[in-house]
Amino acid sequence: MSEMEMRDRITALMPRARAELAEFVAIRSVADPRQFPPEECEAAAVWVRDKFAEAGFSDARLEETADGSKAVVGHRPGPGTDAPTVLLYAHYDVQPPLNEAAWRTPPFELTEVGGRWYGRGAADCKGNILMHLTALRALGESVPVNLKLVVEGSEEQGTGGLEAFVPDHADLLRADTILICDTGNAAVGRPAVTVSLRGMVNVVVTVEALESEVHSGMFGGAAPDALAALIAMLATLRDDRGNTMVKGLDNSQVWTGDPYPPEQFRQDVGVLGGVSLLGSGSVSDMIWARPAVTVLGIDCPPVVGSAAAIVPRTAARLNLRVPPGMSPDQARAAFLEHLRAAAPWGVRVSAEVEAEGAPFLASVDGPAYRAMAGAMLDAYGTPMTTLGQGGSIPLCNVFAGVYPEAEIILMGVEEPLTLMHAPNESVDPGEIANMALAEALFLQRYATVGR
Ligand SMILES: [Zn+2]
């Protein structure tokens, strides 16, 4: 099939992709039973299984993993044992919608605004699942490689279900190339693969100072305030310029790949006028090469409903991003030590490590990487670039450890405008179409160079 024919087929498949993405986004597959019923994730898993079964993965099925989430796995045999094997990865769980009032469209209703499709998971990662399906449908019967599939159900929770599953089922998922489709291009129309990822450490730190709440008028001034202590501790994690300051962690590394233009970054992130970007390095240094700490949540009374009382006990959930070249174990130890040392007034501090993942660097000199570069060039008419990503995909390290020979390529439809993890997530349908074309061209061509 020619490239032109393939492009036409994908164009014709896009109304179906939209209808199915709408169906899929309507499933509230947040993998946290405290927020959404587990039946939603189950329904999403079944949806994925059925779609891929229809696309030739006749043995597609659900496999339970250690954290209770279910991964969809399956395989689709190619023309023969000589053909290389490609593992397709994605995840069907999504981030919670967060502040629903901040959404301009209903989070679980795929809605078109200005040519983009809005909805939680529209890009991350349900858009990538539609990309896979559209590429496979365009190829039809002529898929010249062996395909394997794994779509996990708890990626956004960081609870590591699939990470534990892979080593125990190494043969089931073994492949020559793994397409981890949970990242995106440099911008709409500017194709890229991601070659560097930061690792992370998630910590819940708890501060206790009093037996219970006391009146802030009668006792405030001398009574030790747990919330004030926590705020003081958190404030030590940044300097005036916003650099992350954790004692013992280097924060001076420099990114050597393609830069992230600051003006584009401001736009992509939606920085308000007059507000500065953080840090003394370039944008790419700050988000791809250096550690970064973010306060994800604090337990304290919300404004409405709060009383004139001193908070006796509080906790913060903290996220530390760890760049390539830094060990997450050392980073965690330094982080916890820093927090303890920063605690004022002898308040009681305890910390629980929720999750930890190592950073990742992809190799970029294999046949799959070259085939992908060619496929993206032809799909977009512009050369593929390489990006870093500040986020973590701990699974990359698991794949790299279990399949040291495999080429790992990180790609997808999650370009910066998608606002993944934030309210008003969206996907550019043109990215689904072009990336599906790139994926289809890759699968066609890799068959001849992959062995
Ligand atoms: Zn994702």
Side-chain angles (χ1 to χ4, degrees), residues 91 124-125 155-156 182 414 420-421:
H91 62 86
D124 177 18
C125 188
E155 197 275 337
E156 304 292 9
D182 194 16
E414 298 163 14
M420 48 191 279
H421 296 199

